[in-house]
Amino acid sequence: VELKRGKPNSKFKIMEEINYNATKYYYNELKRNNIALKYLKDRGFTEDSIKNFGIGYAPRYPKLRESLSKTKHYTEKQLLDSGLFTKKERSIKEKFYDRIMFPIRSKRGAVIGFTGRVLPGNDWGPKYMNSPETPLFHKKDNLFGQYESRQEIRKNDLVIICEGSTDVISAHQHGIKNIVAPLGTGLTKEQLQSISTLTKNVLFFFDTDEAGYKALIRGFRLTSELGLNPYATSSNPYKDID
């Protein structure tokens, strides 16, 4: 039997390349910005966490396109397809600025998108903003931390599902590494199906508010439909894991 290596989809490869270089750009920009670094340190993020999760910073006056051009010339369409740029008044502008950037990795480790969190004093847009849907990134199919947590999930035969990316990172810092979070939307059947290849046991650890309670009910219903084993716990009297 002759085995032939299939050619990778060039469109996906270019998008992964842009995301990878953007991750490096944001990571290096974080090192240069004392305000963003202080915010992360004040939130309890360690240097190891910043490095392991590739956390970065999109500056107020970003130069991502200029940085990318040093590596390769990307067409306008390729930049727009990446989800990191938008077109306004016939000019290409960056989607994220003055935000802490959390790379979102696929199950095999490729950066497929970003979650950007505003810094205090920045009132532009929502508190958390994800990359838009792209050919590479679909929110309903992916979870934050799915790559970083995969080995511990399999080892413990249990996945903890919480609400936010900062909860995932905080848990990792305290030695709890079998944990993931939806990407700013309600938990989906596709996300549970994806994680079920690692374990059938799901522990929901949502916020102690009305939205968290509703999410818990939905989570139990979805896991039951998929034949998984749902469990729940609470951080009460605290608001959330973090």
Side-chain angles (χ1 to χ4, degrees):
V1 176
E2 183 182 357
L3 299 179
K4 293 183 178 180
R5 182 183 294 276
K7 291 183 178 179
N9 185 308
S10 58
K11 184 177 182 180
F12 287 176
K13 184 180 179 182
I14 288 170
M15 291 172 67
E16 286 184 0
E17 193 178 88
I18 291 173
N19 285 336
Y20 173 72
N21 288 321
T23 302
K24 290 199 297 183
Y25 166 76
Y26 293 137
Y27 181 77
N28 289 326
E29 285 298 317
L30 176 64
K31 294 178 183 177
R32 298 189 184 102
N33 191 285
N34 292 329
I35 295 174
L37 266 177
K38 183 178 183 303
Y39 167 79
L40 288 173
K41 297 290 174 63
D42 289 347
R43 287 290 301 266
F45 287 75
T46 64
E47 288 186 12
D48 282 345
S49 288
I50 292 171
K51 183 178 179 180
N52 293 338
F53 283 88
I55 301 170
Y57 171 66
R60 188 179 292 271
Y61 303 104
K63 294 182 179 179
L64 175 58
R65 188 177 185 183
E66 184 180 309
S67 175
L68 290 173
S69 67
K70 294 176 183 176
T71 308
K72 181 192 284 189
H73 172 72
Y74 295 104
T75 66
E76 185 177 289
K77 186 178 187 308
Q78 288 170 339
L79 294 174
L80 292 172
D81 284 346
S82 73
L84 291 169
F85 297 86
T86 59
K87 191 169 186 178
K88 293 181 180 178
E89 299 173 358
R90 297 184 180 181
S91 64
I92 300 291
K93 295 185 178 180
E94 294 183 35
K95 184 174 179 65
F96 297 99
Y97 57 91
D98 199 23
R99 286 178 180 267
I100 300 294
M101 300 297 288
F102 300 92
I104 301 165
R105 291 185 170 91
S106 68
K107 290 172 74 173
R108 62 184 180 84
V111 177
I112 55 177
F114 294 86
T115 295
R117 191 209 188 279
V118 293
L119 282 173
N122 178 5
D123 299 323
W124 177 261
K127 183 177 179 182
Y128 286 94
M129 184 166 67
N130 288 316
S131 293
E133 294 281 310
T134 70
L136 197 64
F137 175 58
H138 306 285
K139 280 190 288 188
K140 69 180 180 65
D141 296 328
N142 294 281
L143 292 152
F144 182 82
Q146 61 189 356
Y147 174 73
E148 292 85 353
S149 304
R150 72 199 187 288
Q151 293 179 345
E152 287 294 312
I153 292 171
R154 197 187 296 275
K155 179 181 172 182
N156 287 278
D157 193 19
L158 173 73
V159 60
I160 302 169
I161 298 183
C162 62
E163 286 199 24
S165 52
T166 54
D167 294 329
V168 170
I169 297 168
S170 291
H172 269 251
Q173 289 185 177
H174 289 84
I176 309 300
K177 298 181 179 181
N178 55 325
I179 184 167
V180 295
L183 297 165
T185 58
L187 186 68
T188 68
K189 184 176 286 188
E190 290 83 0
Q191 289 167 339
L192 287 168
Q193 285 174 324
S194 176
I195 212 73
S196 69
T197 60
L198 302 175
T199 181
K200 306 299 180 188
N201 302 309
V202 182
L203 173 63
F204 293 110
F205 202 152
F206 292 142
D207 293 1
T208 56
D209 54 16
E210 186 65 23
Y213 177 73
K214 288 180 179 178
L216 178 61
I217 300 299
R218 174 178 169 77
F220 262 70
R221 180 167 57 79
L222 289 175
T223 46
S224 298
E225 288 174 2
L226 293 170
L228 305 178
N229 308 316
Y231 303 88
T233 191
S234 169
S235 59
N236 195 44
Y238 304 101
K239 179 181 178 294
D240 54 37
I241 294 174
D242 196 22

